[in-house]
Amino acid sequence: MGKFQQSNLGSVILDHHPTTAAGGNFRLWSSCRRKIINTMRCGGGGGGYRHRHTAKSPVVEKPKEEEEKRSECRSDVIQNQRNRKSKKSEKLSELLRMSDSWSSEEEDVKKKVEVLEELKRVVKGLQCGGDAEVLGGAREVRRLAKEDLDARTTLALLGAIPPLVAMLDSDDLDSQIAALYALLNLGIGNDPNKAAIVKAGAVHKMLDLIEPPNDGLPNPDVYAAIVANFLGLTALDSNKTIIGSSGAISFLIKILKNSSKSNIDSQVVQDCLRALYNLSILPSNVSPMIEIDDFVPFLLTTLGDMEVSDRILSILSNVVSTPEGRKAVSAVHDSFQILVDILSWTDSPNCQEKATYILMVMAHRSYRDRQAMIESGVTSSLLELTLLGSTLAQKRASRILEIIRIDKGKQVSETFGGGSIGSNVSAPLYGSVDPILTDPSEDDRMMSDENKAVKHLVQQSLHSNMRRIVKRANLPQDFVPSERFKSLTSMSTSKSLPF
């Protein structure tokens, strides 16, 4: 009822307003309606109303936090998607790599199977084929085993060594050479193959090949291949005894001695020397070497050749390690002079070190050899070597000089009557001993006539011995003895001596 009255009142007011006309009423109503609509859209108030934040009305930030959380979730989702993609790509690449490795392994397996089948075919041809097939098989073994360590092992396991050794009995020269070089390549860097070759009897068959009908040398290709085989086989310690007692040493030495007469290749000479060095490492093989006529003199006289000096000195270093070898070296005329000359004219550190080693061993073992070295003028060469040589050569030269110095000290000690006092004298002293003999001391006056006679005899003996030493040392005759010498002589002839 109130509402009704109010609406009527409003209409009346609007109708009877003095300033209102029909068009004006319409404009007023439309403006009011716009304001009402704007107020409803903005949440009440007027069109120009703004909500003012005060201290009692906090700012609401929940929408911003939610936006941040949503952005973080979106970034996490995007990152997870990227991680999944990267993991999938990694797995895919890994699968591709595995497939590539599988394919490469399959290819390697196929190649190994093919190589094995080829090796089986070659060995079967050696064992069961005819002459032509056996010769071709030996050449194939030589080719396959030249640079392939696995092929050497596999061929030996398949049984290639016995038929190759049996081929050495053939009368065909090509078969012999092919078998020798096939065995040589099978033994390179393979100790089990070297032992198997010797066990199969190859050494004696090789020596049978080098027994020509006349006194000359066999075919050059044959003995060159045999020397190369001996070089490889002697590198194994278990083969040194068998080869050394088989007669191979005399064959190798014969090749060396004929190298100057015949046109033997230098590589064959080097192989001979290296094989002899391998054999000389075993002391039991030194005796057969020095028993051969003129072997040690041949080595010493060949030291002038620089191409073989290093190898020869290596052999001599092993020879002098035995008493028989030292005797053989010292028995050669001018042997120490040759070794001393090596120290003077060669500039090779290896030659100097090995020469000083030989001299050191010889000087340490024999007084006679030390005297021969001194007479050969070794002292000056050793002194020069202690200044200009390598570290090892300097140490060895100093050791030899020390041995010689101790030897001289012993000589002086023995000359002065021995004892602990005389051993301290390091150089011969000589002079007129008459003042000592004619200067009676208080002790002399208290000595008995018997002791005085013994003292006089001892002093005369010292005097005569010193004269011989001074004459040998070329000292001046007017040399005056030092006070130390007088005191030593007086002490050595005092009454405390057990006369």
Side-chain angles (χ1 to χ4, degrees):
M1 187 70 180
K3 293 179 180 181
F4 179 74
Q5 291 176 356
Q6 186 178 2
S7 64
N8 291 334
L9 180 61
S11 65
V12 173
I13 293 171
L14 291 172
D15 291 338
H16 294 281
H17 195 277
T19 61
T20 303
N25 292 333
F26 177 77
R27 285 194 299 272
L28 180 62
W29 167 246
S30 61
S31 63
C32 289
R33 188 177 61 178
R34 283 196 301 272
K35 289 181 180 181
I36 292 171
I37 293 171
N38 292 332
T39 302
M40 292 177 66
R41 289 180 177 177
C42 296
Y49 175 76
R50 293 288 186 272
H51 179 73
R52 297 180 181 178
H53 298 287
T54 61
K56 295 182 179 180
S57 60
V59 178
V60 180
E61 296 181 356
K62 290 184 179 180
K64 293 182 179 180
E65 294 178 355
E66 291 178 356
E67 288 294 332
E68 291 178 356
K69 290 181 180 179
R70 289 176 183 175
S71 62
E72 290 178 359
C73 292
R74 290 174 184 172
S75 62
D76 292 340
V77 171
I78 294 171
Q79 186 66 31
N80 291 333
Q81 291 177 354
R82 291 177 180 176
N83 292 335
R84 291 193 190 99
K85 290 181 180 179
S86 63
K87 289 181 179 179
K88 290 180 180 179
S89 61
E90 289 178 359
K91 289 182 179 180
L92 181 60
S93 61
E94 185 177 356
L95 290 173
L96 292 174
R97 286 195 299 269
M98 291 176 64
S99 63
D100 294 337
S101 63
W102 289 339
S103 60
S104 62
E105 288 178 0
E106 289 179 357
E107 293 178 358
D108 293 339
V109 170
K110 289 180 180 179
K111 290 180 181 179
K112 289 180 179 180
V113 170
E114 293 176 357
V115 171
L116 181 60
E117 293 297 328
E118 182 182 3
L119 297 179
K120 286 181 179 180
R121 177 184 58 80
V122 171
V123 175
K124 186 177 180 180
L126 280 174
Q127 295 173 344
C128 306
D131 294 340
E133 192 172 359
V134 170
L135 178 59
R139 290 173 177 172
E140 283 294 313
V141 171
R142 177 184 177 181
R143 180 184 64 83
L144 294 171
K146 185 176 181 180
E147 297 178 355
D148 192 349
L149 181 60
D150 296 333
R152 298 167 196 163
T153 304
T154 306
L155 286 169
L157 293 175
L158 292 174
I161 293 177
L164 290 173
V165 174
M167 288 179 64
L168 298 178
D169 295 330
S170 175
D171 295 332
D172 183 40
L173 182 62
D174 294 336
S175 299
Q176 294 173 2
I177 295 174
L180 287 170
Y181 282 108
L183 292 171
L184 174 65
N185 289 346
L186 285 175
I188 295 174
N190 195 309
D191 291 343
N193 287 358
K194 293 176 183 177
I197 291 170
V198 173
K199 188 176 181 180
V203 175
H204 296 285
K205 291 182 181 295
M206 290 178 189
L207 293 175
D208 292 338
L209 291 177
I210 60 177
E211 290 181 357
N214 49 20
D215 195 21
L217 290 174
N219 184 275
D221 295 332
V222 173
Y223 69 69
I226 293 175
V227 169
N229 272 277
F230 282 155
L231 172 60
L233 296 176
T234 53
L236 185 64
D237 291 338
S238 60
N239 291 341
K240 288 181 172 63
T241 304
I242 300 174
I243 299 175
S245 60
S246 64
I249 293 177
S250 60
F251 163 70
L252 295 172
I253 294 175
K254 184 179 179 180
I255 294 292
L256 285 178
K257 288 184 177 180
N258 292 328
S259 61
S260 58
K261 301 177 183 178
S262 304
N263 293 326
I264 297 178
D265 187 60
S266 61
Q267 184 62 45
V268 178
V269 176
Q270 292 286 341
D271 291 346
C272 280
L273 291 172
R274 293 168 64 188
L276 287 171
Y277 169 75
N278 291 339
L279 292 171
S280 65
I281 293 174
L282 192 66
S284 60
N285 288 333
V286 175
S287 296
M289 290 183 183
I290 61 179
E291 288 175 359
I292 298 175
D293 294 337
D294 298 334
F295 174 60
V296 175
F298 170 78
L299 293 179
L300 289 171
T301 54
T302 316
L303 279 175
D305 189 357
M306 286 299 297
E307 293 183 358
V308 296
S309 294
D310 192 8
R311 304 290 183 190
I312 292 176
L313 289 171
S314 299
I315 297 172
L316 290 174
S317 299
N318 292 331
V319 169
V320 298
S321 63
T322 63
E324 298 84 358
R326 290 192 293 272
K327 290 179 181 178
V329 172
S330 61
V332 178
H333 180 65
D334 291 338
S335 59
F336 294 106
Q337 186 65 52
I338 295 172
L339 294 172
V340 171
D341 291 340
I342 289 292
L343 300 179
S344 302
W345 60 260
T346 183
D347 294 331
S348 172
N350 291 331
C351 292
Q352 292 177 351
E353 292 170 2
K354 292 171 184 177
T356 50
Y357 174 78
I358 297 169
L359 292 172
M360 182 179 66
V361 174
M362 300 289 287
H364 179 71
R365 296 291 183 177
S366 174
Y367 170 78
R368 179 173 172 271
D369 293 339
R370 290 194 292 271
Q371 295 301 313
M373 292 179 195
I374 295 173
E375 293 175 359
S376 300
V378 72
T379 305
S380 59
S381 298
L382 293 176
L383 289 173
E384 182 180 357
L385 199 60
T386 55
L387 299 175
L388 303 177
S390 63
T391 303
L392 184 57
Q394 289 177 1
K395 291 181 179 179
R396 291 174 176 173
S398 300
R399 177 57 180 162
I400 299 171
L401 290 173
E402 182 181 359
I403 294 172
I404 295 174
R405 182 183 62 81
I406 293 173
D407 209 17
K408 288 183 178 180
K410 289 181 180 179
Q411 290 179 1
V412 174
S413 175
E414 293 174 358
T415 302
F416 289 144
S420 60
I421 298 175
S423 61
N424 295 327
V425 181
S426 59
L429 299 174
Y430 174 72
S432 176
V433 295
D434 293 337
I436 299 177
L437 296 176
T438 59
D439 184 13
S441 63
E442 183 179 0
D443 293 334
D444 292 338
R445 291 191 295 268
M446 296 177 63
M447 292 172 62
S448 62
D449 295 338
E450 182 180 358
N451 290 340
K452 290 180 181 180
V454 173
K455 175 183 176 181
H456 183 71
L457 292 174
V458 170
Q459 289 176 340
Q460 285 183 344
S461 176
L462 290 173
H463 181 247
S464 61
N465 289 334
M466 283 190 302
R467 285 188 178 278
R468 288 197 301 268
I469 293 174
V470 172
K471 183 178 181 181
R472 187 186 307 170
N474 295 324
L475 290 176
Q477 295 295 330
D478 56 349
F479 181 77
V480 179
S482 63
E483 295 296 332
R484 182 168 178 248
F485 172 74
K486 294 180 181 180
S487 62
L488 289 174
T489 307
S490 176
M491 291 175 63
S492 63
T493 57
S494 64
K495 64 179 180 180
S496 61
L497 294 176
F499 289 138

